[in-house]
Amino acid sequence: MAENVVIPVSKIRRPRSTPKGRAVDPVAREEIARLLEGAPRGAEYLIENLHRVQDRYGHLSAAHLAALAEAMKLAMAEVYEVATFYHHFDVVKEGESAPAAVTVRVCETLSCRMAGADALLEKLPKLLGKDVRVIAAPCIGRCAEAPAVCVGHNAFGHATEGEVKKALAEGKVRAPALRPHTYADYRSQGGYKTWVECLEGGRDVEAVIKTLEDAGLRGLGGAGFPTGRKWRIVRAEPAPRLMAVNIDEGEPGTFKDRHYLERDPHRFIEGMLIAAWAVGIEDIYVYLRDEYHACREMLEQELAALAADPPAKLPRIHLRRGAGAYICGEESAMIESIEGRRGMPRLRPPYVAQVGLFGRPTLEHNMETLFWVRDLIEQGAEWFASKGRHGRKGLRSFSVSGRVKKPGVHLAPAGITVKELIDEFCGGMQEGHRFYAYLPGGASGGILPASMGDIPLDFDTLQPYECFIGSAAVIVLSDKDRARDAALNLMHFFEHESCGQCTPCRVGTAKAAQLMHAKKWDQGLLEELSVAMADASICGLGQAAPNPIRCVVKHFPDEI
């Protein structure tokens, strides 16, 4: 029989007095408790609550992250990985100094760089001193007013050193209030009448969807999927069905959604409500990019006004705030972000129409697509379809920036050529500049020479030239620019904005940017990288990243 084994008291494992991991600082626990008072604490609200901390303290300290994890009953690793994924969250590790109280973000993407962003980035740190942090930022959606900056939450264009200094001196670090077409204005002019008619049986779902199909309305966020067909697909899925509205608009050169939202938000909201009625949706999630602070505050006010005096029973509308990640313009990455996680694209299938937000069938739409729904129903398919040019149907909102006299959002016939767009809508080229090249679809859509400026701009017309229109972000270059420099700027953008999930995109964009700095490009190696990125990346970022390289090699061989 075995002898009794005596275990020394020193070897006995006693229960822990505290949980494993970082101990929560009592002061931080109390601060977070006060900050979250009355706020939801479900996992889907992690990004919203991180914003609460960032807005209050100007950064995310290790102590506050630990306290937030405890308050939301999440693992510290989950909170940390989300906080460090998004550009607008300033995570301060233990022992590190907090950033300056005010951050000035200077857009360094193509249109702003052409307009002098480099000089601002060089001069502002010396001018503003150590109490202000100046950093380069990707596109902030003000390309027509290049160069653009964001002083705290106050974004503005045509920025100069003097204007930035003045904004700081006057404490203008909050977004200025917008004065849109308000809820009262919209209702007084017959707004929401069409939605109410739909709810009360005055309009038939099949007839409404058929109108969208006959008009040829396609997704105006860039993918161009037929709107009516999308409604049919999601409507056929089992309830409950959800809707996700994408206003992330991070594509360099794109600002049309902000333009319409600032001026006439209820036209978009009515289109959104009509879509919810047609597809049978009770919960709508509106995802708005964080750079649009003024739009968010305005939209909160206008949605509150609608909810206070609704013309009919409303579905539940949830407004969610991005945190600075271009990748969240991709529909599944946006859904991940709405659910409180890192914005990493999902593998397909299943598609979001079947398994989307919170695992439910989801109707995903760009804001501008919904903006046109009311007018299409009221005025008919022929009204919209007849507006095209060169054999194309409909209207397109072109975000035009670069070397033209009148940059901005120009509503023009689908199928217009870039030469016609410049001459008829943009007042021609700037003085002293000759049309040299253009980007028909923002950073992802490729670069074409002026000699190819007679191609109709629309879905499907640019693919034969290995380009696409995307969200119709047209950036015009002149003889003062070089296509290879533009391509390098865009590749740095892709490198910065890659979510890092897949190796072809994460490594490929970084390696391509490095190779493109060479005086003479290694075309063979760049094409090898391009094939890997285009064929093996999970989402459109990596798949489209080679477009600028291939366009320069094909159309501007003298520059490489």
Side-chain angles (χ1 to χ4, degrees):
M1 191 170 177
E3 296 181 8
N4 292 332
V5 178
V6 178
I7 301 175
V9 173
S10 61
K11 299 288 187 180
I12 296 175
R13 180 176 294 175
R14 294 180 173 82
R16 295 177 60 92
S17 59
T18 59
K20 287 183 178 181
R22 181 185 296 276
V24 178
D25 177 72
V27 175
R29 178 185 287 123
E30 178 61 28
E31 290 172 339
I32 292 297
R34 286 199 302 269
L35 198 60
L36 297 189
E37 189 172 350
R41 301 191 184 191
E44 68 184 88
Y45 295 99
L46 174 56
I47 293 171
E48 298 294 316
N49 288 335
L50 285 168
H51 275 304
R52 286 185 171 91
V53 182
Q54 174 86 25
D55 290 346
R56 171 63 181 83
Y57 295 101
H59 63 279
L60 302 174
S61 68
H64 281 143
L65 288 177
L68 182 64
E70 179 189 70
M72 297 187 68
K73 296 181 171 55
L74 297 172
M76 179 62 184
E78 185 176 351
V79 173
Y80 186 80
E81 73 176 10
V82 172
T84 53
F85 179 84
Y86 295 93
H87 304 318
H88 291 183
F89 291 141
D90 294 313
V91 176
V92 177
K93 298 176 183 176
E94 201 164 309
E96 290 183 345
S97 299
V102 178
T103 296
V104 174
R105 289 183 166 86
V106 180
C107 177
E108 64 170 352
T109 319
L110 185 56
S111 296
C112 285
R113 191 157 198 171
M114 290 161 60
D118 285 349
L120 281 176
L121 282 166
E122 181 183 351
K123 295 174 183 177
L124 283 177
K126 301 169 188 174
L127 179 68
L128 303 179
K130 63 181 180 180
D131 294 330
V132 177
R133 180 177 60 161
V134 179
I135 60 174
C139 185
I140 61 175
R142 294 184 177 272
C143 320
E145 307 154 37
V149 302
C150 198
V151 178
H153 288 174
N154 179 17
F156 58 91
H158 303 304
T160 63
E161 300 100 276
E163 288 294 324
V164 174
K165 190 174 182 179
K166 181 181 177 184
L168 287 165
E170 296 177 355
K172 294 180 178 177
V173 296
R174 290 185 56 81
L178 295 172
R179 292 176 174 79
H181 198 53
T182 66
Y183 177 59
D185 297 333
Y186 191 73
R187 284 292 301 275
S188 69
Q189 296 169 14
Y192 292 107
K193 174 177 61 70
T194 301
W195 172 57
V196 172
E197 287 175 358
C198 292
L199 289 178
E200 294 180 348
R203 293 183 184 272
D204 175 66
V205 171
E206 176 60 32
V208 166
I209 294 178
K210 184 73 164 51
T211 297
L212 302 185
E213 292 173 334
D214 291 346
L217 182 66
R218 297 172 66 169
L220 298 172
F225 193 87
T227 302
R229 191 193 309 171
K230 182 181 284 191
W231 288 19
R232 290 190 189 280
I233 290 169
V234 181
R235 181 179 167 81
E237 294 293 324
R241 296 174 285 271
L242 306 177
M243 185 191 300
V245 182
N246 194 333
I247 321 181
D248 194 59
E249 193 170 54
E251 182 74 20
T254 309
F255 44 90
K256 61 183 178 62
D257 291 352
R258 176 182 62 79
H259 172 88
Y260 288 124
L261 193 58
E262 287 179 346
R263 290 157 177 79
D264 198 0
H266 290 280
R267 189 181 303 262
F268 142 67
I269 295 170
E270 184 169 10
M272 179 177 79
L273 294 175
I274 291 170
W277 158 78
V279 180
I281 286 165
E282 294 186 1
D283 281 271
I284 302 170
Y285 291 79
V286 180
Y287 188 85
L288 182 65
R289 71 179 307 199
D290 193 36
E291 289 85 349
Y292 291 172
H293 295 282
C295 285
R296 186 179 66 255
E297 292 177 1
M298 176 273 292
L299 200 51
E300 287 172 347
Q301 293 170 3
E302 295 304 315
L303 286 172
L306 171 63
D309 181 28
K313 184 182 177 182
L314 292 166
R316 290 177 291 271
I317 302 173
H318 313 265
L319 182 59
R320 291 298 172 83
R321 179 178 174 184
Y326 165 71
I327 192 64
C328 290
E330 195 276 339
E331 61 179 7
S332 65
M334 175 192 65
I335 285 172
E336 288 287 305
S337 190
I338 292 173
E339 293 181 358
R341 294 189 287 271
R342 294 175 294 171
M344 289 189 165
R346 298 175 179 177
L347 291 169
R348 296 177 182 84
Y351 297 96
V352 300
Q354 302 162 313
V355 182
L357 194 53
F358 305 115
R360 300 308 310 162
T362 301
L363 178 67
E364 189 274 343
H365 264 314
N366 167 257
M367 177 264 177
E368 196 209 344
T369 310
L370 297 170
F371 184 86
W372 288 110
V373 167
R374 191 205 79 175
D375 285 359
L376 273 171
I377 294 172
E378 291 180 354
Q379 301 191 52
E382 181 58 28
W383 165 80
F384 188 78
S386 65
K387 301 292 184 181
R389 190 179 291 187
H390 301 302
R392 309 303 298 177
K393 286 184 176 183
L395 294 164
R396 295 288 176 268
S397 300
F398 292 94
S399 303
V400 186
S401 61
R403 308 294 192 182
V404 295
K405 288 181 179 177
K406 290 172 55 181
V409 174
H410 297 291
L411 185 62
I416 193 171
T417 70
V418 72
K419 289 180 179 178
E420 293 169 340
L421 186 65
I422 293 170
D423 291 342
E424 297 176 31
F425 291 85
C426 302
M429 297 293 291
Q430 293 175 0
E431 296 299 332
H433 290 264
R434 180 172 53 83
F435 181 37
Y436 152 76
Y438 67 108
L439 284 70
S444 307
I447 308 173
L448 293 172
S451 60
M452 298 177 69
D454 294 317
I455 301 169
L457 297 176
D458 197 14
F459 299 114
D460 310 323
T461 60
L462 293 155
Q463 277 84 338
Y465 310 97
E466 298 179 349
C467 294
F468 55 83
I469 192 172
S471 57
V474 177
I475 304 176
V476 180
L477 309 184
S478 79
D479 53 344
K480 304 291 193 295
D481 308 303
R482 290 202 307 169
R484 67 166 284 161
D485 294 337
L488 177 58
N489 179 274
L490 301 176
M491 191 56 66
H492 278 305
F493 171 81
F494 292 134
E495 176 189 7
H496 183 261
E497 294 299 319
S498 172
C499 74
Q501 180 176 191
C502 61
T503 302
C505 177
R506 182 185 67 250
V507 177
T509 52
K511 183 64 176 177
Q514 180 185 347
L515 290 170
M516 291 165 74
H517 275 283
K519 187 174 181 180
K520 184 173 178 58
W521 285 7
D522 185 334
Q523 295 183 42
L525 188 51
L526 279 169
E527 177 56 23
E528 201 174 323
L529 272 173
S530 295
V531 170
M533 286 190 284
D535 290 352
S537 294
I538 289 173
C539 80
L541 191 156
Q543 293 164 10
N547 288 350
I549 298 173
R550 287 170 162 168
C551 284
V552 171
V553 170
K554 184 174 182 179
H555 302 298
F556 306 91
D558 294 343
E559 296 187 11
I560 57 171

